[in-house]
């Protein structure tokens, strides 16, 4: 059974700092990995999706990497801003017939202080 | 597009009462998912529909939970009778196909007292 772990559970940084969020998964047979953002009282917003054949994806100040063989992904946020404060979730999608089934980590709560 | 629509946004009910959560997926999406989010267990898939047919309900916790999708634009998740341990945020998501990106609704926060 796939298990996804996110470390740290919470992170507080001053504005302008670069930071890294970590995600690890136990089964490397994945179709893709996705990073989401969740704001309080809101749904999930997709940030980046990395296919299993890719090593990284970038969008603006965000960069996500994937090392499938070691079961790890990182989300790098450059020059953090207070508006980046949210919970960040990673989710893996398995390869094979059950590739509708996202398995989520419990998230990292990020606070960026002005 | 308005995105995935869920109602109600908040529901407070007493133990033993029936609760019905509603979802309208994005038009044209043929896959619909119900998730539950708790602090202890995170986000878990409850049930997956494809073309209005339930494909995987292995995540439904027990017989008190049921879900229907009578047509392509509407789905319900029902809990009868509700219990305090059902308190959670319930999300609905839809996608163009089973392996396509899922779009999430804002969720329904359920509190059972």
């Amino acid at each position: 059974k796939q298990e996804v772990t996110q470390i740290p559970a919470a992170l507080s940084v001053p504005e302008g700092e670069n930071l890294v969020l970590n995600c690890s998964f136990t089964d490397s047979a994945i179709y893709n990995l996705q990073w989401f953002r969740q704001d309080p009282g809101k749904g999930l917003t997709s940030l980046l999706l990395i296919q299993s054949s890719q090593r990284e994806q970038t969008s603006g100040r965000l960069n996500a990497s994937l090392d499938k063989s070691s079961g790890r992904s990182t989300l790098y946020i450059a020059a953090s801003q207070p508006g980046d404060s949210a919970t960040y979730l990673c989710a893996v999608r398995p390869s094979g017939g059950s590739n509708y089934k996202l398995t989520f980590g419990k998230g990292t709560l990020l606070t960026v202080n002005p | 597009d308005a995105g995935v629509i869920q109602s109600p946004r908040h529901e407070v009910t007493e133990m033993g009462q029936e609760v019905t959560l509603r979802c309208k997926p994005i038009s044209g999406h043929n896959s619909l998912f119900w998730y539950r989010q708790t602090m202890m267990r995170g986000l878990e898939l409850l049930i997956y529909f494809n073309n209005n047919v339930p494909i995987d309900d292995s995540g439904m916790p027990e017989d008190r939970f049921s879900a229907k999708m009578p047509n392509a634009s509407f789905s319900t998740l029902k809990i009868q009778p509700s219990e305090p341990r059902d308190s959670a945020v319930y999300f609905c998501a839809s996608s163009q196909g089973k392996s396509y990106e899922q779009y999430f609704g804002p969720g329904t926060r359920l509190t059972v007292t």
Side-chain angles (χ1 to χ4, degrees), chain A residues 1 31-32 34 36 38 40-47 49 51 87 89 93 96-106, chain B residues 9 33 35 37 39-45 48 55-56 58-59 89 91 97-107 109:
Chain A
K1 179 185 173 187
Y31 184 77
N32 59 38
Q34 203 165 353
F36 291 87
Q38 184 175 20
K42 302 280 182 68
L44 279 66
T45 301
S46 179
L47 296 173
L49 185 150
Q51 299 294 348
T87 297
L89 296 152
R93 184 189 296 275
S98 298
N99 61 358
Y100 53 86
K101 206 163 194 173
L102 294 178
T103 300
F104 285 84
K106 290 186 179 180
Chain B
R9 294 294 310 278
F33 308 83
Y35 290 89
Q37 185 178 39
M39 289 292 291
M40 287 292 293
R41 300 174 68 93
L43 259 166
E44 300 174 291
L45 178 66
Y48 158 55
I55 302 299
D56 182 353
S58 60
V89 182
F91 288 101
K98 69 170 190 171
S99 62
Y100 285 71
E101 184 173 355
Q102 295 176 22
Y103 293 82
F104 284 74
R109 181 173 294 277

Side-chain angles (χ1 to χ4, degrees), chain B residues 41-61:
Chain B
R41 300 174 68 93
L43 259 166
E44 300 174 291
L45 178 66
L46 298 177
I47 188 168
Y48 158 55
F49 289 89
N50 184 255
N51 291 324
N52 313 337
V53 176
I55 302 299
D56 182 353
D57 65 356
S58 60
M60 296 286 264

Side-chain angles (χ1 to χ4, degrees), chain A residues 5-73:
Chain A
T5 303
Q6 291 189 245
I7 294 173
L11 180 64
S12 181
V13 300
E15 181 177 3
E17 192 163 298
N18 302 325
L19 59 100
V20 174
L21 307 181
N22 296 292
C23 172
S24 62
F25 47 95
T26 54
D27 186 348
S28 62
I30 65 169
Y31 184 77
N32 59 38
L33 182 145
Q34 203 165 353
W35 283 93
F36 291 87
R37 169 183 173 140
Q38 184 175 20
D39 292 283
K42 302 280 182 68
L44 279 66
T45 301
S46 179
L47 296 173
L48 291 165
L49 185 150
I50 311 178
Q51 299 294 348
S52 61
S53 58
Q54 297 176 318
R55 298 284 292 182
E56 64 179 273
Q57 280 286 339
T58 298
S59 175
R61 295 183 293 109
L62 305 180
N63 176 276
S65 69
L66 174 64
D67 183 343
K68 197 175 77 163
S69 61
S70 67
R72 293 179 184 178
S73 176

Side-chain angles (χ1 to χ4, degrees), chain B residues 59-66 83 85-86:
Chain B
M60 296 286 264
E62 47 198 279
D63 292 345
R64 297 184 297 106
F65 286 69
S66 63
E83 297 183 1
R85 60 194 168 117
D86 301 331

Side-chain angles (χ1 to χ4, degrees), chain B residues 12-54:
Chain B
V12 180
T13 191
E14 292 182 348
M15 183 173 62
Q17 296 298 307
E18 177 180 297
V19 175
T20 299
L21 311 182
R22 296 172 176 80
C23 175
K24 177 178 169 55
I26 293 173
S27 177
H29 284 190
N30 64 1
S31 294
L32 184 138
F33 308 83
W34 282 100
Y35 290 89
R36 179 171 68 175
Q37 185 178 39
T38 61
M39 289 292 291
M40 287 292 293
R41 300 174 68 93
L43 259 166
E44 300 174 291
L45 178 66
L46 298 177
I47 188 168
Y48 158 55
F49 289 89
N50 184 255
N51 291 324
N52 313 337
V53 176

